[in-house]
Amino acid sequence: MQNQNESTTKSRKGRLLAAAASLAIAGAIGFGAVTSGTVPVLADAVRVEGVQATGFADVVERVSPAVVSVRVQARIEPASDREGGNFSFGMPGLEDLPRDHPLHRFFREFRGERGDREFRGDRGRRGERARPVSQGSGFFISEDGYLVTNNHVVEGGATFVVVMDDGTELDARLVGTDPRTDLAVLKVDEEREFTYVAFADDQAVRVGDWVVAVGNPFGLGGTVTAGIVSARGRDIGAGPYDDFIQIDAAVNRGNSGGPAFNLNGEVVGINTAIFSPSGGNVGIAFAIPASTAKQVVSNLVENGAVLRGWLGVQIQPVTDEIAESIGLEAPKGALVTEAQAEGPAREAGLKAGDVITAVNDQEIESPRELARMIGAYAPDTKVDVTLWRGGAEEQVSVELGELPGDEARADLQVPTPAQADASLADFGLTVTGADDGNGLVVTDVEPGSAAEERGIQAGDVIVAVNSTDVTSAEDVEAAVADAAGAGRNAVLVQINRDDNNRFVALPISRG
């Protein structure tokens, strides 16, 4: 019995030693690796199957015949008869320069006349000759010869020549242009079927997608570069409808108007601008999205111009401070600074201080988005506009007008200051009543004050505070008291300067 107990005791000790050894090993290689006697199953790290790039040759081979170089020329009358040999260049004392004089050659080349080889055969009537204006790129969108390029490529041109992929030169005529989106359409009238390309659904384009740019950089002819979509929705200050696709690819001068293709050979964008501190390629380019181009081009082909809806408002962004001052939950929408005279908005009852938050139940994030949305509607279309006014939401129906060529502006008169001044010490302002009784003229702005920080200047006219017209300092103080009573930390001040309205949010002093 004793021997059996000793055997049991030795067995237990053996198991304890084995366990201790196991723990020691676990401490050396990681406790979890041996506690169960098996290697643990860990979650897989994120892994994406890479694109098996086989090159872009197949895409380029298919689309290149649809891409052209665009040469633009203007007609000018010569300053003198070149055949007669009398070149004055508009400078006194140089009328009788001999043709072999060094200055003669200098001024001829300065004017772009590289000898008699260029443009000799391109003379018009009465000695008229062609002068090169610009050159860029383009691409066919139909088999009957319609092609797309940039407005800035054809601007100022009188004659247009497209150079095909095989070197064939064909005359083209201008169908229409749209400076607001920098697009233009040309037409080649030839009895042939052109290879053409289609627009892609750019809504499906993602950051990181491959793109292939084909064009005519520096007039070299068909050149291909590749890159990726690096960003979307870029605003580069080019116009009211900025919504560019940013492409990281080698795009240079002369690529303007050329297409950027996806790997299916569809046009995702039209190369229009480059970011270039030095004037050369740094790998950042901007393309007009296919959806924008498709709509504009369709209008140009059908009408020769783009007919856009017009709301008739001047607008500005809604900042955090402005949103808080009017009780808006988030800084979204477009703040109306002015409803233009005889415009659709004013006729429908919109006024300065309203915030447009939606059109036909589509939310508006920014003024730029509102401009694009309204511009996408045809004139005479009725839309439901959702407003934030006086701390509550309203909806009005507006029949859009036609966007005029030159933006209409309200005819406002900047009042001249009256004599009696009053202090708005909390804001750091000194004001006086306007001679015509409309608003308060700012006569002085305290340095370092909240007003100065927000750009208010002497001569500005305070028209309203929190959408309430003001004609005295007491009116301002009453509007501030109402806002404070409602628990707000700022008031919305409408400023008129140089016939333009804008809004600033001024903080309310609690002390």
Side-chain angles (χ1 to χ4, degrees), residues 79 128 177 245 310 366:
E128 187 183 56
T177 64
I245 298 174
W310 178 53
S366 65

Side-chain angles (χ1 to χ4, degrees), residues 45 86 169 177 243 282 309 414 418 430 453 467:
N86 181 16
E169 297 186 6
T177 64
D243 184 28
V282 295
V414 179
T430 302
E453 290 175 355
S467 299

Side-chain angles (χ1 to χ4, degrees), residues 14 30 57 165 206 212 214 222 241 299 388 422 424 469 476-477 491 499:
D165 182 53
R206 300 186 302 166
V212 180
V214 184
Y241 307 112
N299 270 267
W388 182 260
L424 298 174
D469 293 342
V476 176
E477 292 168 356
V491 290
D499 292 351

Side-chain angles (χ1 to χ4, degrees), residues 198-213:
F199 288 110
D201 177 11
D202 65 72
Q203 298 302 315
V205 174
R206 300 186 302 166
V207 172
D209 281 351
W210 281 107
V211 288
V212 180

Side-chain angles (χ1 to χ4, degrees), residues 205-252:
V205 174
R206 300 186 302 166
V207 172
D209 281 351
W210 281 107
V211 288
V212 180
V214 184
N216 178 36
F218 303 113
L220 295 173
T223 301
V224 179
T225 56
I228 63 168
V229 173
S230 56
R232 300 208 50 174
R234 288 297 198 211
D235 181 357
I236 63 174
Y241 307 112
D242 279 16
D243 184 28
F244 290 100
I245 298 174
Q246 181 178 319
I247 294 173
D248 284 8
V251 174
N252 287 285

Side-chain angles (χ1 to χ4, degrees), residues 420-438:
D421 287 358
S423 175
L424 298 174
D426 288 346
F427 298 146
L429 293 172
T430 302
V431 296
T432 186
D435 282 347
D436 61 2
N438 296 321

